[in-house]
Amino acid sequence: KGVLKFALWYAGALRSAAVSWGGLAACRLREAIGDSSSDYASITVLQSGGMGDAVLTLPLIEGLRHRWPRAKLSVVTKKLAKKVFEAFSPELRLDLLDVEAYEHSKGVAIIDQDVDLIVYLRGNIDAVRAAWKNRTARFVCGLPHHSRMRWAPMYYLGFPVPHSREHQYDTFCLIMRPFGIVLPPSPSISVRRVWRDSLYEKLRNEGLEHRRLALVHPFAAWAP
């Protein structure tokens, strides 16, 4: 039973590696096809990551908005990330990604057929299919060349694997440069007064207003 359980777990690692390598190859190939125009009327950003990924994406969104202020700009994302975009970029058009459909290669059909520029920020070999349906659109992907997921079978067995050479945000900066968009050195968010006042009120109610606090976030999928 233990051997079977390990075999199934390791098969999952092999699948993760295959999807990661395949997604990168499919995206790189798709980048070579499409209109390289310098003007775009409709832009879609696909970010299927979590809340942290959404925060990293905010400067990219602002860069696109300032570069093409008249373009119709939309973001396709998941439920939790959607809350981040709603809070910090409320004027965006947001489409909620159907996670179950996305995992079965159907979730990205929400990308409009008349879109001129697709900015794809996650690696999934199946999800790139929607980009191929509109071959006239320019396609760019924010996928690092080096990811531990591509070496998952070795990584999970404890073997040394190549480390990522760039942070995900650095990748976003690189893919924006050909458009003449320079992102800030690091992403940042502004804490609204109402949020700060709400936190202070909660601390006062708990008798913690003048106590030293530690913030723990145990849900990140990757080490910083």
Side-chain angles (χ1 to χ4, degrees), residues 44-48 74-78 95-97 107 110-111:
T44 292
V45 177
L46 176 60
Q47 175 54 275
S48 60
S74 63
V75 175
V76 181
T77 191
K78 290 182 179 178
D95 291 312
L96 191 60
L97 190 65
I110 200 169
I111 296 178

Side-chain angles (χ1 to χ4, degrees), residues 181-197:
I181 299 174
V182 179
L183 301 185
S186 61
S188 62
I189 55 177
S190 299
V191 178
R192 298 177 185 175
R193 181 182 295 274
V194 63
W195 298 343
R196 185 182 59 188
D197 293 344

Side-chain angles (χ1 to χ4, degrees), residues 139-178:
F139 178 90
V140 294
C141 62
L143 304 180
H145 287 280
H146 302 276
S147 170
R148 285 184 176 179
M149 289 305 299
R150 295 183 188 118
W151 303 94
M154 296 176 60
Y155 176 68
Y156 290 141
L157 291 180
F159 290 101
V161 300
H163 289 284
S164 298
R165 298 181 183 178
E166 60 191 30
H167 190 274
Q168 182 69 78
Y169 183 72
D170 296 327
T171 306
F172 293 174
C173 292
L174 289 174
I175 66 172
M176 288 292 101
R177 286 178 185 173

Side-chain angles (χ1 to χ4, degrees), residues 64-71:
L64 291 171
R65 179 183 286 112
H66 284 91
R67 178 66 178 82
W68 293 288
R70 296 183 180 180

Side-chain angles (χ1 to χ4, degrees), residues 27-28 30-31 33 35 37 40 42-49 53 56-65 67-68 71-77 85 92 97 102 108 110-112 115-124 127-128 130-132 134 137-143 168-169 171-179 181 183:
C27 285
R28 296 307 180 202
R30 179 59 183 83
E31 282 186 317
I33 303 172
D35 185 10
S37 171
Y40 302 100
S42 179
I43 303 171
T44 292
V45 177
L46 176 60
Q47 175 54 275
S48 60
D53 296 290
L56 296 179
T57 308
L58 289 171
L60 182 148
I61 297 296
E62 290 303 313
L64 291 171
R65 179 183 286 112
R67 178 66 178 82
W68 293 288
K72 180 178 68 175
L73 181 59
S74 63
V75 175
V76 181
T77 191
F85 292 118
L92 273 176
L97 190 65
Y102 178 76
V108 291
I110 200 169
I111 296 178
D112 294 335
V115 68
D116 301 316
L117 173 62
I118 301 171
V119 182
Y120 186 62
L121 302 179
R122 299 290 285 184
N124 184 301
V128 187
W132 286 93
N134 184 355
R138 184 169 182 181
F139 178 90
V140 294
C141 62
L143 304 180
Q168 182 69 78
Y169 183 72
T171 306
F172 293 174
C173 292
L174 289 174
I175 66 172
M176 288 292 101
R177 286 178 185 173
F179 297 112
I181 299 174
L183 301 185

